[in-house]
Amino acid sequence: MRLRNKPWAQDKINNHPDYVITNPAEYRGKWNQLFSNDQPIHIEVGTGRGRFITEMAKENPHINYVGIEKYTSVAVDALEKMLEAEVPNVKLLNVDGGGLLDFFEEGEVGRVYLNFSDPWPKVRHEKRRLTHQSFLSQYEKVLVQNGEVHFKTDNQGLFEYSLGSMSQYGMKLKQVWLDLHNSEFEANIMTEYEEKFSSKGNRIYRVEAKYE
Amino acid sequence: MRLRNKPWAQDKINNHPDYVITNPAEYRGKWNQLFSNDQPIHIEVGTGRGRFITEMAKENPHINYVGIEKYTSVAVDALEKMLEAEVPNVKLLNVDGGGLLDFFEEGEVGRVYLNFSDPWPKVRHEKRRLTHQSFLSQYEKVLVQNGEVHFKTDNQGLFEYSLGSMSQYGMKLKQVWLDLHNSEFEANIMTEYEEKFSSKGNRIYRVEAKYE
């Protein structure tokens, strides 16, 4: 994702504690208190410009969503979408997804979404891929029993890697889509990136994988 | 695969007991005696016109190959390739692959190959797909410990189904290729079908999956 310098972004983030949780570690084990209900909590690691998580929150009022985006200049776009949507069931963390265990208690998360994650194609960067076993292990820890990771990407290499990585970790692949936009899957909410690159003819791959 | 009526095919099959084993159940547990050595035995379920298994046998003299093809009019083409190749490490069974347990003892098979299997796209025919759990269970029984199934196809629906089926059965996906012919995989031997349909632009999918 192209990052633009936005000197005003940090101020805007700081001025909206209603959406951006700046001290997420303090809510570890207490997210239901923050949302003031006992709904399941679904998180998106790498929320980008926020369309996916915001639209999901609008369409699924009985689920709480937490988007995690480390780049402030990108997270501010997600914040703007949330401000516009004005729904109570979505929050934003402007932090690194690698700290999940600090922010969520075991079993506190109902589902993990990964959308168009950075492919890190070089072998020496394998550990940075969000479907590397070290990340899969973190998701497993914060997820409920038999929790699921739903992942989509247009990057063939990352998808090949991720199917193997998830399977070798011990996850079961519930369903695989090799061309999501030409499938019967109707519930798809396109990310900003997805709209742009699928319109150029890129195939979109998707998998739902489950911990056992 | 298009089947042509070949009234002479059965005679030709009968006349070549050196390659076609007409009583495979009698060799259950004794295939190494038939091959007169202790080499691993790799089988292909659905051998079609036989190029894959025959070329594999030529390139890998230290492995024994058994091709299984139920249609006599197709198996006879495989026989012709074997006669031409004149290698001692390949045999042909003109039988239905569903009878594997009658032909091989537990742990007698070193690897299973499935190439461009019939996709059986209708849901009500799911049980006929060679990657249905009932078949995966048969392969597991005849395979050695931690044995592998290597599967390739150009059929997107069958590949999506197969990744899920193998994973849900409990197999680990060692590696997945979403575009085999544009990958770094160099050991590929094309089947007759593969050559024809990849030249029309069809992507070839491949997976190596392992029993745990």
PDB file of all heavy atoms in Angstrom, chain A residues 142-160:
ATOM      1  N   VAL A 142      -5.640 -16.269  20.831  1.00  0.00           N
ATOM      2  CA  VAL A 142      -6.693 -15.294  21.175  1.00  0.00           C
ATOM      3  C   VAL A 142      -8.080 -15.755  20.734  1.00  0.00           C
ATOM      4  O   VAL A 142      -9.094 -15.234  21.201  1.00  0.00           O
ATOM      5  CB  VAL A 142      -6.399 -13.882  20.591  1.00  0.00           C
ATOM      6  CG1 VAL A 142      -5.064 -13.359  21.135  1.00  0.00           C
ATOM      7  CG2 VAL A 142      -6.413 -13.885  19.070  1.00  0.00           C
ATOM      8  N   LEU A 143      -8.127 -16.748  19.833  1.00  0.00           N
ATOM      9  CA  LEU A 143      -9.417 -17.197  19.300  1.00  0.00           C
ATOM     10  C   LEU A 143     -10.144 -18.142  20.250  1.00  0.00           C
ATOM     11  O   LEU A 143      -9.534 -18.823  21.071  1.00  0.00           O
ATOM     12  CB  LEU A 143      -9.225 -17.918  17.964  1.00  0.00           C
ATOM     13  CG  LEU A 143      -9.177 -17.038  16.706  1.00  0.00           C
ATOM     14  CD1 LEU A 143      -8.668 -17.846  15.511  1.00  0.00           C
ATOM     15  CD2 LEU A 143     -10.552 -16.451  16.382  1.00  0.00           C
ATOM     16  N   VAL A 144     -11.459 -18.184  20.079  1.00  0.00           N
ATOM     17  CA  VAL A 144     -12.278 -19.184  20.750  1.00  0.00           C
ATOM     18  C   VAL A 144     -11.894 -20.583  20.242  1.00  0.00           C
ATOM     19  O   VAL A 144     -11.226 -20.720  19.227  1.00  0.00           O
ATOM     20  CB  VAL A 144     -13.781 -18.944  20.447  1.00  0.00           C
ATOM     21  CG1 VAL A 144     -14.249 -17.624  21.053  1.00  0.00           C
ATOM     22  CG2 VAL A 144     -14.051 -18.963  18.945  1.00  0.00           C
ATOM     23  N   GLN A 145     -12.350 -21.598  20.943  1.00  0.00           N
ATOM     24  CA  GLN A 145     -12.172 -22.990  20.506  1.00  0.00           C
ATOM     25  C   GLN A 145     -12.748 -23.161  19.092  1.00  0.00           C
ATOM     26  O   GLN A 145     -13.838 -22.647  18.815  1.00  0.00           O
ATOM     27  CB  GLN A 145     -12.915 -23.912  21.493  1.00  0.00           C
ATOM     28  CG  GLN A 145     -12.612 -25.378  21.344  1.00  0.00           C
ATOM     29  CD  GLN A 145     -11.248 -25.734  21.913  1.00  0.00           C
ATOM     30  OE1 GLN A 145     -10.651 -24.968  22.669  1.00  0.00           O
ATOM     31  NE2 GLN A 145     -10.724 -26.889  21.523  1.00  0.00           N
ATOM     32  N   ASN A 146     -12.023 -23.841  18.226  1.00  0.00           N
ATOM     33  CA  ASN A 146     -12.468 -24.046  16.833  1.00  0.00           C
ATOM     34  C   ASN A 146     -12.684 -22.726  16.081  1.00  0.00           C
ATOM     35  O   ASN A 146     -13.517 -22.648  15.172  1.00  0.00           O
ATOM     36  CB  ASN A 146     -13.754 -24.879  16.762  1.00  0.00           C
ATOM     37  CG  ASN A 146     -13.563 -26.270  17.325  1.00  0.00           C
ATOM     38  OD1 ASN A 146     -12.518 -26.893  17.126  1.00  0.00           O
ATOM     39  ND2 ASN A 146     -14.552 -26.765  18.038  1.00  0.00           N
ATOM     40  N   GLY A 147     -11.940 -21.708  16.474  1.00  0.00           N
ATOM     41  CA  GLY A 147     -12.021 -20.414  15.792  1.00  0.00           C
ATOM     42  C   GLY A 147     -11.501 -20.502  14.358  1.00  0.00           C
ATOM     43  O   GLY A 147     -10.818 -21.456  13.983  1.00  0.00           O
ATOM     44  N   GLU A 148     -11.858 -19.486  13.589  1.00  0.00           N
ATOM     45  CA  GLU A 148     -11.526 -19.508  12.167  1.00  0.00           C
ATOM     46  C   GLU A 148     -10.746 -18.272  11.739  1.00  0.00           C
ATOM     47  O   GLU A 148     -10.924 -17.188  12.290  1.00  0.00           O
ATOM     48  CB  GLU A 148     -12.816 -19.591  11.328  1.00  0.00           C
ATOM     49  CG  GLU A 148     -13.593 -20.864  11.608  1.00  0.00           C
ATOM     50  CD  GLU A 148     -14.838 -21.020  10.746  1.00  0.00           C
ATOM     51  OE1 GLU A 148     -15.041 -20.199   9.821  1.00  0.00           O
ATOM     52  OE2 GLU A 148     -15.592 -21.976  10.997  1.00  0.00           O
ATOM     53  N   VAL A 149      -9.915 -18.486  10.722  1.00  0.00           N
ATOM     54  CA  VAL A 149      -9.246 -17.386  10.037  1.00  0.00           C
ATOM     55  C   VAL A 149      -9.804 -17.339   8.622  1.00  0.00           C
ATOM     56  O   VAL A 149      -9.808 -18.359   7.922  1.00  0.00           O
ATOM     57  CB  VAL A 149      -7.714 -17.601   9.997  1.00  0.00           C
ATOM     58  CG1 VAL A 149      -7.045 -16.509   9.157  1.00  0.00           C
ATOM     59  CG2 VAL A 149      -7.133 -17.614  11.405  1.00  0.00           C
ATOM     60  N   HIS A 150     -10.288 -16.178   8.210  1.00  0.00           N
ATOM     61  CA  HIS A 150     -10.785 -15.992   6.844  1.00  0.00           C
ATOM     62  C   HIS A 150      -9.819 -15.050   6.130  1.00  0.00           C
ATOM     63  O   HIS A 150      -9.628 -13.910   6.558  1.00  0.00           O
ATOM     64  CB  HIS A 150     -12.196 -15.404   6.859  1.00  0.00           C
ATOM     65  CG  HIS A 150     -13.229 -16.347   7.396  1.00  0.00           C
ATOM     66  ND1 HIS A 150     -14.581 -16.162   7.234  1.00  0.00           N
ATOM     67  CD2 HIS A 150     -13.106 -17.515   8.084  1.00  0.00           C
ATOM     68  CE1 HIS A 150     -15.247 -17.156   7.817  1.00  0.00           C
ATOM     69  NE2 HIS A 150     -14.375 -17.989   8.347  1.00  0.00           N
ATOM     70  N   PHE A 151      -9.243 -15.562   5.068  1.00  0.00           N
ATOM     71  CA  PHE A 151      -8.134 -14.852   4.417  1.00  0.00           C
ATOM     72  C   PHE A 151      -8.409 -14.710   2.932  1.00  0.00           C
ATOM     73  O   PHE A 151      -8.783 -15.666   2.271  1.00  0.00           O
ATOM     74  CB  PHE A 151      -6.855 -15.679   4.652  1.00  0.00           C
ATOM     75  CG  PHE A 151      -5.665 -15.287   3.821  1.00  0.00           C
ATOM     76  CD1 PHE A 151      -5.176 -13.986   3.827  1.00  0.00           C
ATOM     77  CD2 PHE A 151      -5.006 -16.240   3.050  1.00  0.00           C
ATOM     78  CE1 PHE A 151      -4.065 -13.642   3.070  1.00  0.00           C
ATOM     79  CE2 PHE A 151      -3.899 -15.898   2.293  1.00  0.00           C
ATOM     80  CZ  PHE A 151      -3.421 -14.593   2.301  1.00  0.00           C
ATOM     81  N   LYS A 152      -8.227 -13.498   2.410  1.00  0.00           N
ATOM     82  CA  LYS A 152      -8.281 -13.363   0.948  1.00  0.00           C
ATOM     83  C   LYS A 152      -7.152 -12.502   0.442  1.00  0.00           C
ATOM     84  O   LYS A 152      -6.619 -11.647   1.153  1.00  0.00           O
ATOM     85  CB  LYS A 152      -9.645 -12.862   0.467  1.00  0.00           C
ATOM     86  CG  LYS A 152     -10.108 -11.523   0.979  1.00  0.00           C
ATOM     87  CD  LYS A 152     -11.508 -11.167   0.422  1.00  0.00           C
ATOM     88  CE  LYS A 152     -12.021  -9.879   1.039  1.00  0.00           C
ATOM     89  NZ  LYS A 152     -13.325  -9.449   0.476  1.00  0.00           N
ATOM     90  N   THR A 153      -6.765 -12.762  -0.795  1.00  0.00           N
ATOM     91  CA  THR A 153      -5.624 -12.084  -1.412  1.00  0.00           C
ATOM     92  C   THR A 153      -5.701 -12.262  -2.920  1.00  0.00           C
ATOM     93  O   THR A 153      -6.330 -13.207  -3.402  1.00  0.00           O
ATOM     94  CB  THR A 153      -4.291 -12.672  -0.903  1.00  0.00           C
ATOM     95  OG1 THR A 153      -3.205 -11.993  -1.540  1.00  0.00           O
ATOM     96  CG2 THR A 153      -4.146 -14.153  -1.225  1.00  0.00           C
ATOM     97  N   ASP A 154      -5.053 -11.367  -3.636  1.00  0.00           N
ATOM     98  CA  ASP A 154      -4.892 -11.591  -5.075  1.00  0.00           C
ATOM     99  C   ASP A 154      -3.477 -12.085  -5.376  1.00  0.00           C
ATOM    100  O   ASP A 154      -3.126 -12.266  -6.533  1.00  0.00           O
ATOM    101  CB  ASP A 154      -5.164 -10.299  -5.864  1.00  0.00           C
ATOM    102  CG  ASP A 154      -4.128  -9.226  -5.574  1.00  0.00           C
ATOM    103  OD1 ASP A 154      -3.554  -9.216  -4.468  1.00  0.00           O
ATOM    104  OD2 ASP A 154      -3.876  -8.394  -6.464  1.00  0.00           O
ATOM    105  N   ASN A 155      -2.683 -12.288  -4.326  1.00  0.00           N
ATOM    106  CA  ASN A 155      -1.286 -12.674  -4.546  1.00  0.00           C
ATOM    107  C   ASN A 155      -1.134 -14.197  -4.560  1.00  0.00           C
ATOM    108  O   ASN A 155      -1.259 -14.857  -3.529  1.00  0.00           O
ATOM    109  CB  ASN A 155      -0.411 -12.058  -3.450  1.00  0.00           C
ATOM    110  CG  ASN A 155       1.057 -12.231  -3.753  1.00  0.00           C
ATOM    111  OD1 ASN A 155       1.599 -13.316  -3.573  1.00  0.00           O
ATOM    112  ND2 ASN A 155       1.698 -11.181  -4.254  1.00  0.00           N
ATOM    113  N   GLN A 156      -0.872 -14.723  -5.753  1.00  0.00           N
ATOM    114  CA  GLN A 156      -0.808 -16.177  -5.922  1.00  0.00           C
ATOM    115  C   GLN A 156       0.241 -16.826  -5.024  1.00  0.00           C
ATOM    116  O   GLN A 156      -0.020 -17.846  -4.371  1.00  0.00           O
ATOM    117  CB  GLN A 156      -0.505 -16.499  -7.388  1.00  0.00           C
ATOM    118  CG  GLN A 156      -0.423 -17.986  -7.673  1.00  0.00           C
ATOM    119  CD  GLN A 156       0.130 -18.259  -9.069  1.00  0.00           C
ATOM    120  OE1 GLN A 156      -0.232 -17.587 -10.030  1.00  0.00           O
ATOM    121  NE2 GLN A 156       1.017 -19.224  -9.174  1.00  0.00           N
ATOM    122  N   GLY A 157       1.409 -16.230  -4.965  1.00  0.00           N
ATOM    123  CA  GLY A 157       2.480 -16.814  -4.156  1.00  0.00           C
ATOM    124  C   GLY A 157       2.118 -16.837  -2.677  1.00  0.00           C
ATOM    125  O   GLY A 157       2.348 -17.826  -1.984  1.00  0.00           O
ATOM    126  N   LEU A 158       1.542 -15.762  -2.202  1.00  0.00           N
ATOM    127  CA  LEU A 158       1.148 -15.713  -0.790  1.00  0.00           C
ATOM    128  C   LEU A 158       0.032 -16.718  -0.504  1.00  0.00           C
ATOM    129  O   LEU A 158       0.020 -17.345   0.560  1.00  0.00           O
ATOM    130  CB  LEU A 158       0.687 -14.301  -0.410  1.00  0.00           C
ATOM    131  CG  LEU A 158       0.260 -14.145   1.056  1.00  0.00           C
ATOM    132  CD1 LEU A 158       1.433 -14.384   2.006  1.00  0.00           C
ATOM    133  CD2 LEU A 158      -0.352 -12.772   1.318  1.00  0.00           C
ATOM    134  N   PHE A 159      -0.858 -16.899  -1.466  1.00  0.00           N
ATOM    135  CA  PHE A 159      -1.963 -17.835  -1.225  1.00  0.00           C
ATOM    136  C   PHE A 159      -1.443 -19.282  -1.215  1.00  0.00           C
ATOM    137  O   PHE A 159      -1.821 -20.071  -0.345  1.00  0.00           O
ATOM    138  CB  PHE A 159      -3.055 -17.660  -2.279  1.00  0.00           C
ATOM    139  CG  PHE A 159      -4.368 -18.279  -1.876  1.00  0.00           C
ATOM    140  CD1 PHE A 159      -5.075 -17.796  -0.791  1.00  0.00           C
ATOM    141  CD2 PHE A 159      -4.889 -19.357  -2.568  1.00  0.00           C
ATOM    142  CE1 PHE A 159      -6.280 -18.364  -0.405  1.00  0.00           C
ATOM    143  CE2 PHE A 159      -6.088 -19.936  -2.192  1.00  0.00           C
ATOM    144  CZ  PHE A 159      -6.785 -19.440  -1.103  1.00  0.00           C
ATOM    145  N   GLU A 160      -0.567 -19.617  -2.147  1.00  0.00           N
ATOM    146  CA  GLU A 160       0.037 -20.954  -2.159  1.00  0.00           C
ATOM    147  C   GLU A 160       0.740 -21.208  -0.823  1.00  0.00           C
ATOM    148  O   GLU A 160       0.583 -22.257  -0.186  1.00  0.00           O
ATOM    149  CB  GLU A 160       1.055 -21.061  -3.301  1.00  0.00           C
ATOM    150  CG  GLU A 160       0.442 -21.070  -4.685  1.00  0.00           C
ATOM    151  CD  GLU A 160       1.463 -20.934  -5.811  1.00  0.00           C
ATOM    152  OE1 GLU A 160       2.548 -20.349  -5.598  1.00  0.00           O
ATOM    153  OE2 GLU A 160       1.177 -21.388  -6.918  1.00  0.00           O
TER     154      GLU A 160
END
